[in-house]
Amino acid sequence: MLRAFLRTPRATARFRTSRFVQDDDVLLDAPDDRLAPALVAAARGDHGPAADLLARTRQNAEWEHRDRYATRLAAFARSRAEWLEDWRATAPGDPDGLLVALRLTVDRHWDSPARAELLRQVSPSVAAAAESAGPDPVPWRTALDTARGARAPHAEFARLWAQAVRRSPHHYGCHVAALEYLAAASPGAHRECLDFAERAAQDAPEDALVRALPVRAAFACLTAHGGGGAAGAYRARLDGAADRAIALSAALPAADPWPAALRNVLAYVLVRLGRLQDAAEQLRLTGPYVTSFPWDRDADDPLGRFLEVRADVRARVLSGPGATGSGHPGSGHVGRVRSDDH
Protein backbone atom coordinates (compact mmCIF):
# COMPACT_ATOMS: atom_id res chain seq x y z
CA MET A 1 0.00 0.00 0.00
CA LEU A 2 2.86 2.39 0.80
CA ARG A 3 4.28 1.95 -2.67
CA ALA A 4 0.89 2.92 -4.06
CA PHE A 5 0.91 6.13 -2.01
CA LEU A 6 4.35 7.03 -3.35
CA ARG A 7 3.58 6.23 -6.99
CA THR A 8 4.67 9.06 -9.28
CA PRO A 9 2.68 10.41 -12.26
CA ARG A 10 5.49 9.20 -14.55
CA ALA A 11 5.12 5.66 -13.24
CA THR A 12 1.37 5.79 -13.69
CA ALA A 13 1.81 6.96 -17.27
CA ARG A 14 4.26 4.11 -17.89
CA PHE A 15 1.70 1.58 -16.67
CA ARG A 16 -0.86 2.97 -19.06
CA THR A 17 1.37 2.63 -22.09
CA SER A 18 3.20 -0.65 -21.44
CA ARG A 19 1.68 -3.92 -22.56
CA PHE A 20 2.27 -5.82 -19.32
CA VAL A 21 3.30 -4.56 -15.90
CA GLN A 22 6.33 -6.24 -14.33
CA ASP A 23 5.64 -8.48 -11.35
CA ASP A 24 7.53 -6.20 -8.96
CA ASP A 25 5.31 -3.25 -9.91
CA VAL A 26 2.00 -5.00 -9.21
CA LEU A 27 0.04 -3.58 -6.25
CA LEU A 28 -2.54 -5.41 -4.15
CA ASP A 29 -5.70 -3.49 -3.22
CA ALA A 30 -4.13 -0.11 -3.98
CA PRO A 31 -6.30 2.89 -3.05
CA ASP A 32 -7.20 5.56 -5.56
CA ASP A 33 -6.04 9.17 -5.32
CA ARG A 34 -8.97 10.17 -3.12
CA LEU A 35 -8.78 7.30 -0.65
CA ALA A 36 -5.01 7.17 -0.27
CA PRO A 37 -4.65 10.44 1.72
CA ALA A 38 -7.46 9.37 4.05
CA LEU A 39 -5.69 6.08 4.78
CA VAL A 40 -2.35 7.80 5.33
CA ALA A 41 -3.97 10.20 7.80
CA ALA A 42 -5.79 7.35 9.55
CA ALA A 43 -2.47 5.55 9.99
CA ARG A 44 -1.30 8.66 11.85
CA GLY A 45 -4.44 8.65 13.99
CA ASP A 46 -6.20 11.49 12.14
CA HIS A 47 -9.77 10.72 11.06
CA GLY A 48 -10.37 14.13 9.50
CA PRO A 49 -9.58 13.28 5.85
CA ALA A 50 -11.68 10.10 6.02
CA ALA A 51 -14.59 12.08 7.47
CA ASP A 52 -14.24 14.73 4.75
CA LEU A 53 -14.05 12.11 2.00
CA LEU A 54 -17.18 10.24 3.08
CA ALA A 55 -19.06 13.48 3.70
CA ARG A 56 -18.38 14.54 0.11
CA THR A 57 -19.57 11.23 -1.29
CA ARG A 58 -22.78 11.54 0.74
CA GLN A 59 -23.41 15.15 -0.24
CA ASN A 60 -22.72 14.45 -3.93
CA ALA A 61 -24.64 11.14 -3.97
CA GLU A 62 -21.55 9.25 -5.12
CA TRP A 63 -22.97 5.99 -3.87
CA GLU A 64 -20.61 3.58 -5.61
CA HIS A 65 -17.54 5.44 -4.38
CA ARG A 66 -19.06 5.82 -0.93
CA ASP A 67 -19.66 2.09 -0.68
CA ARG A 68 -16.14 1.21 -1.74
CA TYR A 69 -14.46 3.84 0.44
CA ALA A 70 -16.46 2.87 3.53
CA THR A 71 -15.59 -0.78 2.96
CA ARG A 72 -11.89 -0.03 2.57
CA LEU A 73 -11.80 2.24 5.62
CA ALA A 74 -13.51 -0.44 7.70
CA ALA A 75 -10.99 -3.00 6.48
CA PHE A 76 -8.16 -0.70 7.53
CA ALA A 77 -9.76 -0.22 10.95
CA ARG A 78 -9.70 -3.96 11.60
CA SER A 79 -6.01 -3.73 12.42
CA ARG A 80 -5.80 -0.03 13.38
CA ALA A 81 -9.02 1.23 14.90
CA GLU A 82 -7.82 4.12 17.09
CA TRP A 83 -8.65 6.78 14.53
CA LEU A 84 -12.17 5.39 14.10
CA GLU A 85 -12.71 5.18 17.85
CA ASP A 86 -11.64 8.81 18.16
CA TRP A 87 -13.96 9.78 15.33
CA ARG A 88 -16.92 8.08 17.00
CA ALA A 89 -16.05 9.63 20.36
CA THR A 90 -15.76 13.17 19.04
CA ALA A 91 -18.72 13.00 16.63
CA PRO A 92 -21.06 10.21 17.78
CA GLY A 93 -23.86 11.46 15.56
CA ASP A 94 -21.81 11.58 12.37
CA PRO A 95 -23.50 9.24 9.84
CA ASP A 96 -20.21 8.65 8.05
CA GLY A 97 -18.37 7.47 11.14
CA LEU A 98 -21.35 5.29 12.02
CA LEU A 99 -21.33 3.78 8.53
CA VAL A 100 -17.68 2.71 8.86
CA ALA A 101 -18.18 1.47 12.42
CA LEU A 102 -21.14 -0.73 11.47
CA ARG A 103 -19.29 -2.11 8.46
CA LEU A 104 -16.37 -2.93 10.74
CA THR A 105 -18.68 -4.70 13.22
CA VAL A 106 -20.25 -6.82 10.49
CA ASP A 107 -16.84 -7.71 9.02
CA ARG A 108 -15.51 -8.80 12.39
CA HIS A 109 -18.56 -10.92 13.15
CA TRP A 110 -18.36 -12.48 9.69
CA ASP A 111 -15.15 -14.29 10.58
CA SER A 112 -16.55 -15.74 13.81
CA PRO A 113 -17.75 -19.35 14.09
CA ALA A 114 -20.83 -17.79 15.71
CA ARG A 115 -21.42 -15.54 12.71
CA ALA A 116 -25.15 -16.05 12.35
CA GLU A 117 -25.91 -15.51 16.04
CA LEU A 118 -23.69 -12.44 16.33
CA LEU A 119 -25.12 -10.84 13.20
CA ARG A 120 -28.67 -11.47 14.39
CA GLN A 121 -27.81 -9.50 17.52
CA VAL A 122 -26.61 -6.45 15.59
CA SER A 123 -29.24 -6.61 12.84
CA PRO A 124 -31.65 -4.19 14.59
CA SER A 125 -28.97 -1.51 15.07
CA VAL A 126 -27.73 -1.90 11.49
CA ALA A 127 -31.28 -1.59 10.12
CA ALA A 128 -32.01 1.38 12.37
CA ALA A 129 -28.92 3.19 11.10
CA ALA A 130 -29.99 2.52 7.52
CA GLU A 131 -33.49 3.84 8.25
CA SER A 132 -32.02 7.08 9.57
CA ALA A 133 -29.67 7.59 6.61
CA GLY A 134 -32.19 9.26 4.32
CA PRO A 135 -31.53 8.69 0.60
CA ASP A 136 -28.20 6.94 1.18
CA PRO A 137 -28.37 3.30 -0.06
CA VAL A 138 -24.94 2.29 1.29
CA PRO A 139 -26.11 1.49 4.86
CA TRP A 140 -28.70 -0.77 3.28
CA ARG A 141 -25.91 -2.69 1.59
CA THR A 142 -24.51 -3.33 5.08
CA ALA A 143 -27.99 -4.33 6.26
CA LEU A 144 -28.35 -6.76 3.36
CA ASP A 145 -24.96 -8.32 4.10
CA THR A 146 -25.93 -8.61 7.76
CA ALA A 147 -29.17 -10.36 6.84
CA ARG A 148 -27.32 -12.78 4.58
CA GLY A 149 -24.82 -13.65 7.28
CA ALA A 150 -27.61 -14.01 9.84
CA ARG A 151 -29.48 -16.36 7.49
CA ALA A 152 -32.51 -14.13 7.55
CA PRO A 153 -35.70 -15.54 6.02
CA HIS A 154 -36.66 -14.47 2.51
CA ALA A 155 -39.40 -12.12 3.69
CA GLU A 156 -37.02 -10.16 5.90
CA PHE A 157 -34.39 -9.92 3.19
CA ALA A 158 -37.03 -8.80 0.68
CA ARG A 159 -38.10 -6.01 3.04
CA LEU A 160 -34.53 -4.72 3.28
CA TRP A 161 -34.04 -5.08 -0.46
CA ALA A 162 -37.13 -2.99 -1.17
CA GLN A 163 -35.76 -0.19 1.00
CA ALA A 164 -32.38 -0.32 -0.73
CA VAL A 165 -33.64 -0.13 -4.31
CA ARG A 166 -36.14 2.57 -3.36
CA ARG A 167 -33.16 4.78 -2.58
CA SER A 168 -30.97 3.74 -5.50
CA PRO A 169 -32.42 1.30 -8.04
CA HIS A 170 -29.05 0.61 -9.69
CA HIS A 171 -26.63 0.56 -6.75
CA TYR A 172 -24.04 -2.12 -7.50
CA GLY A 173 -23.17 -3.03 -3.92
CA CYS A 174 -26.77 -3.70 -2.94
CA HIS A 175 -27.24 -5.84 -6.04
CA VAL A 176 -24.11 -7.85 -5.24
CA ALA A 177 -25.44 -8.43 -1.71
CA ALA A 178 -28.77 -9.62 -3.10
CA LEU A 179 -27.06 -11.88 -5.64
CA GLU A 180 -24.91 -13.45 -2.94
CA TYR A 181 -27.96 -13.98 -0.73
CA LEU A 182 -29.75 -15.72 -3.56
CA ALA A 183 -26.75 -17.92 -4.31
CA ALA A 184 -26.28 -18.85 -0.64
CA ALA A 185 -29.98 -19.41 0.10
CA SER A 186 -30.54 -21.61 -2.95
CA PRO A 187 -27.34 -23.53 -3.80
CA GLY A 188 -27.33 -24.55 -7.43
CA ALA A 189 -29.84 -21.84 -8.40
CA HIS A 190 -27.68 -20.79 -11.34
CA ARG A 191 -30.62 -19.91 -13.56
CA GLU A 192 -32.16 -17.69 -10.87
CA CYS A 193 -28.85 -15.90 -10.23
CA LEU A 194 -28.32 -15.24 -13.92
CA ASP A 195 -31.92 -14.11 -14.37
CA PHE A 196 -31.61 -11.63 -11.53
CA ALA A 197 -28.29 -10.24 -12.73
CA GLU A 198 -29.34 -9.97 -16.37
CA ARG A 199 -32.53 -8.10 -15.50
CA ALA A 200 -30.61 -5.66 -13.31
CA ALA A 201 -28.02 -5.04 -16.03
CA GLN A 202 -30.61 -4.60 -18.74
CA ASP A 203 -32.50 -1.95 -16.79
CA ALA A 204 -29.39 0.04 -15.80
CA PRO A 205 -27.91 3.08 -17.55
CA GLU A 206 -25.09 2.42 -20.00
CA ASP A 207 -22.35 3.62 -17.65
CA ALA A 208 -23.73 2.03 -14.46
CA LEU A 209 -21.46 -0.43 -12.69
CA VAL A 210 -24.41 -2.76 -12.13
CA ARG A 211 -24.21 -3.60 -15.82
CA ALA A 212 -21.31 -5.86 -14.78
CA LEU A 213 -23.53 -7.80 -12.37
CA PRO A 214 -23.97 -10.75 -14.76
CA VAL A 215 -20.24 -11.48 -14.58
CA ARG A 216 -20.56 -11.67 -10.79
CA ALA A 217 -23.39 -14.13 -11.33
CA ALA A 218 -21.16 -16.07 -13.71
CA PHE A 219 -18.46 -16.12 -11.05
CA ALA A 220 -20.98 -17.45 -8.50
CA CYS A 221 -22.07 -20.18 -10.91
CA LEU A 222 -18.55 -21.24 -11.85
CA THR A 223 -17.26 -21.34 -8.27
CA ALA A 224 -20.26 -23.04 -6.65
CA HIS A 225 -19.91 -26.66 -5.58
CA GLY A 226 -20.31 -28.63 -8.79
CA GLY A 227 -19.94 -25.42 -10.79
CA GLY A 228 -18.34 -27.27 -13.65
CA GLY A 229 -21.78 -28.39 -14.72
CA ALA A 230 -22.95 -24.77 -14.88
CA ALA A 231 -20.25 -24.00 -17.43
CA GLY A 232 -21.82 -26.50 -19.79
CA ALA A 233 -25.51 -25.99 -19.07
CA TYR A 234 -25.35 -22.18 -19.16
CA ARG A 235 -22.35 -21.63 -21.41
CA ALA A 236 -24.03 -19.12 -23.72
CA ARG A 237 -25.27 -17.04 -20.81
CA LEU A 238 -21.89 -17.11 -19.09
CA ASP A 239 -20.22 -15.95 -22.29
CA GLY A 240 -22.84 -13.23 -22.64
CA ALA A 241 -22.13 -12.06 -19.09
CA ALA A 242 -18.42 -11.90 -19.88
CA ASP A 243 -19.05 -10.03 -23.13
CA ARG A 244 -21.18 -7.44 -21.34
CA ALA A 245 -18.43 -6.89 -18.75
CA ILE A 246 -15.79 -6.66 -21.49
CA ALA A 247 -17.78 -3.88 -23.14
CA LEU A 248 -18.03 -1.99 -19.86
CA SER A 249 -14.33 -2.48 -19.16
CA ALA A 250 -13.46 -1.06 -22.58
CA ALA A 251 -15.26 2.17 -21.69
CA LEU A 252 -13.25 2.64 -18.48
CA PRO A 253 -9.68 3.98 -18.17
CA ALA A 254 -6.84 1.48 -18.37
CA ALA A 255 -4.44 0.94 -15.45
CA ASP A 256 -6.77 2.64 -13.00
CA PRO A 257 -7.64 1.41 -9.50
CA TRP A 258 -11.37 2.13 -9.83
CA PRO A 259 -12.16 -0.48 -12.57
CA ALA A 260 -9.63 -2.94 -11.12
CA ALA A 261 -12.26 -4.83 -9.11
CA LEU A 262 -14.34 -5.42 -12.24
CA ARG A 263 -11.36 -6.45 -14.36
CA ASN A 264 -9.96 -8.89 -11.81
CA VAL A 265 -13.28 -10.73 -11.51
CA LEU A 266 -13.73 -10.63 -15.27
CA ALA A 267 -10.25 -12.06 -15.87
CA TYR A 268 -10.96 -14.86 -13.40
CA VAL A 269 -14.22 -15.74 -15.16
CA LEU A 270 -12.62 -15.62 -18.60
CA VAL A 271 -9.90 -17.99 -17.47
CA ARG A 272 -12.51 -20.40 -16.13
CA LEU A 273 -14.30 -20.21 -19.48
CA GLY A 274 -11.09 -20.93 -21.37
CA ARG A 275 -11.15 -17.54 -23.11
CA LEU A 276 -7.48 -16.85 -22.60
CA GLN A 277 -7.02 -14.19 -25.27
CA ASP A 278 -9.81 -12.15 -23.68
CA ALA A 279 -8.41 -12.82 -20.21
CA ALA A 280 -4.96 -11.61 -21.30
CA GLU A 281 -6.49 -8.34 -22.49
CA GLN A 282 -8.16 -7.74 -19.14
CA LEU A 283 -4.90 -8.53 -17.36
CA ARG A 284 -3.25 -5.91 -19.55
CA LEU A 285 -5.96 -3.33 -18.91
CA THR A 286 -5.86 -3.73 -15.15
CA GLY A 287 -2.21 -2.65 -15.20
CA PRO A 288 -0.57 -2.79 -11.75
CA TYR A 289 -3.84 -3.01 -9.82
CA VAL A 290 -4.72 -6.38 -8.32
CA THR A 291 -7.64 -6.90 -5.95
CA SER A 292 -7.70 -9.60 -3.28
CA PHE A 293 -11.08 -10.78 -4.50
CA PRO A 294 -11.42 -13.11 -6.36
CA TRP A 295 -7.87 -14.50 -6.12
CA ASP A 296 -8.12 -15.03 -2.35
CA ARG A 297 -10.76 -17.65 -3.05
CA ASP A 298 -8.07 -20.00 -4.33
CA ALA A 299 -5.09 -19.13 -2.15
CA ASP A 300 -4.01 -17.45 1.07
CA ASP A 301 -1.70 -15.29 -1.05
CA PRO A 302 -3.99 -13.53 -3.56
CA LEU A 303 -1.16 -11.53 -5.12
CA GLY A 304 0.91 -14.63 -5.67
CA ARG A 305 -2.10 -16.43 -7.08
CA PHE A 306 -2.82 -13.57 -9.50
CA LEU A 307 0.79 -13.56 -10.72
CA GLU A 308 0.71 -17.32 -11.18
CA VAL A 309 -2.47 -17.22 -13.26
CA ARG A 310 -1.25 -14.23 -15.26
CA ALA A 311 2.01 -16.01 -16.10
CA ASP A 312 0.12 -19.11 -17.19
CA VAL A 313 -2.29 -17.09 -19.35
CA ARG A 314 0.50 -15.16 -21.01
CA ALA A 315 2.51 -18.33 -21.70
CA ARG A 316 -0.51 -20.06 -23.24
CA VAL A 317 -1.40 -17.03 -25.37
CA LEU A 318 2.16 -16.56 -26.60
CA SER A 319 2.46 -20.23 -27.48
CA GLY A 320 -0.06 -19.77 -30.29
CA PRO A 321 -3.78 -19.93 -31.03
CA GLY A 322 -3.87 -23.70 -30.81
CA ALA A 323 -3.06 -23.54 -27.10
CA THR A 324 -5.44 -20.74 -26.09
CA GLY A 325 -9.09 -20.05 -25.75
CA SER A 326 -10.15 -17.35 -28.17
CA GLY A 327 -13.66 -16.21 -28.84
CA HIS A 328 -16.10 -18.66 -27.22
CA PRO A 329 -14.35 -22.02 -27.00
CA GLY A 330 -15.12 -24.93 -24.77
CA SER A 331 -14.37 -24.60 -21.08
CA GLY A 332 -10.81 -24.78 -19.84
CA HIS A 333 -8.63 -23.77 -16.94
CA VAL A 334 -5.22 -22.38 -16.17
CA GLY A 335 -3.04 -23.30 -13.25
CA ARG A 336 -5.04 -24.46 -10.25
CA VAL A 337 -8.25 -22.46 -10.55
CA ARG A 338 -10.67 -24.56 -8.57
CA SER A 339 -13.71 -26.19 -10.04
CA ASP A 340 -15.56 -26.52 -6.74
CA ASP A 341 -16.08 -24.46 -3.62
CA HIS A 342 -14.33 -26.25 -0.76
Side-chain angles (χ1 to χ4, degrees):
M1 185 176 291
L2 181 60
R3 289 195 296 125
F5 296 157
L6 301 177
R7 184 71 67 203
T8 65
R10 175 178 293 182
T12 300
R14 175 169 58 85
F15 290 144
R16 289 175 178 165
T17 57
S18 63
R19 177 146 184 83
F20 289 113
V21 175
Q22 297 299 313
D23 288 1
D24 289 344
D25 287 326
V26 173
L27 303 168
L28 182 67
D29 296 328
D32 65 18
D33 292 341
R34 298 172 69 187
L35 179 61
L39 291 173
V40 171
R44 295 196 299 259
D46 180 10
H47 67 269
D52 292 341
L53 174 62
L54 289 184
R56 288 196 300 272
T57 62
R58 174 168 44 85
Q59 293 159 4
N60 297 328
E62 298 177 77
W63 305 133
E64 304 295 2
H65 285 85
R66 180 173 176 78
D67 190 8
R68 186 173 295 186
Y69 293 155
T71 299
R72 293 293 304 277
L73 287 166
F76 185 76
R78 293 193 69 170
S79 58
R80 304 189 65 169
E82 297 84 1
W83 62 277
L84 180 57
E85 293 167 355
D86 181 62
W87 185 1
R88 298 290 295 136
T90 57
D94 188 333
D96 306 314
L98 178 60
L99 175 65
V100 178
L102 289 175
R103 184 77 247 180
L104 173 60
T105 297
V106 171
D107 289 348
R108 283 175 169 167
H109 289 342
W110 202 272
D111 294 335
S112 170
R115 174 200 300 173
E117 179 181 350
L118 291 171
L119 290 177
R120 288 188 195 106
Q121 293 174 7
V122 301
S123 289
S125 60
V126 173
E131 291 278 4
S132 66
D136 184 359
V138 180
W140 291 100
R141 194 265 171 88
T142 303
L144 291 168
D145 285 336
T146 304
R148 175 167 63 93
R151 300 173 185 168
H154 293 331
E156 172 61 15
F157 193 91
R159 184 188 71 80
L160 298 172
W161 171 247
Q163 294 293 329
V165 296
R166 183 178 303 167
R167 286 157 176 80
S168 180
H170 307 300
H171 183 250
Y172 180 71
C174 288
H175 280 78
V176 169
L179 177 66
E180 291 178 339
Y181 177 85
L182 178 60
S186 304
H190 304 315
R191 183 187 301 276
E192 291 82 353
C193 289
L194 290 167
D195 287 346
F196 170 75
E198 289 167 359
R199 283 196 302 268
Q202 184 175 357
D203 294 340
E206 286 293 327
D207 60 346
L209 189 58
V210 78
R211 290 183 68 84
L213 191 66
V215 86
R216 282 297 295 260
F219 173 84
C221 294
L222 291 168
T223 57
H225 183 73
Y234 300 101
R235 179 63 199 228
R237 296 180 72 175
L238 300 180
D239 278 323
D243 291 341
R244 192 191 296 266
I246 287 171
L248 181 60
S249 173
L252 297 171
D256 188 276
W258 174 250
L262 163 63
R263 288 177 175 141
N264 277 255
V265 173
L266 176 55
Y268 186 103
V269 168
L270 289 166
V271 168
R272 287 295 300 268
L273 294 175
R275 296 174 55 175
L276 303 188
Q277 291 280 7
D278 292 330
E281 175 63 6
Q282 295 307 312
L283 294 170
R284 182 190 70 82
L285 288 173
T286 201
Y289 300 111
V290 181
T291 55
S292 292
F293 178 82
W295 311 106
D296 57 2
R297 181 188 173 279
D298 293 327
D300 293 332
D301 175 15
L303 179 57
R305 179 63 186 141
F306 168 86
L307 294 175
E308 177 188 19
V309 171
R310 188 178 72 162
D312 284 348
V313 169
R314 290 166 62 183
R316 295 275 296 279
V317 169
L318 291 173
S319 67
T324 73
S326 180
H328 297 173
S331 62
H333 83 261
V334 172
R336 298 192 307 274
V337 175
R338 297 175 184 169
S339 298
D340 296 312
D341 190 9
H342 297 292

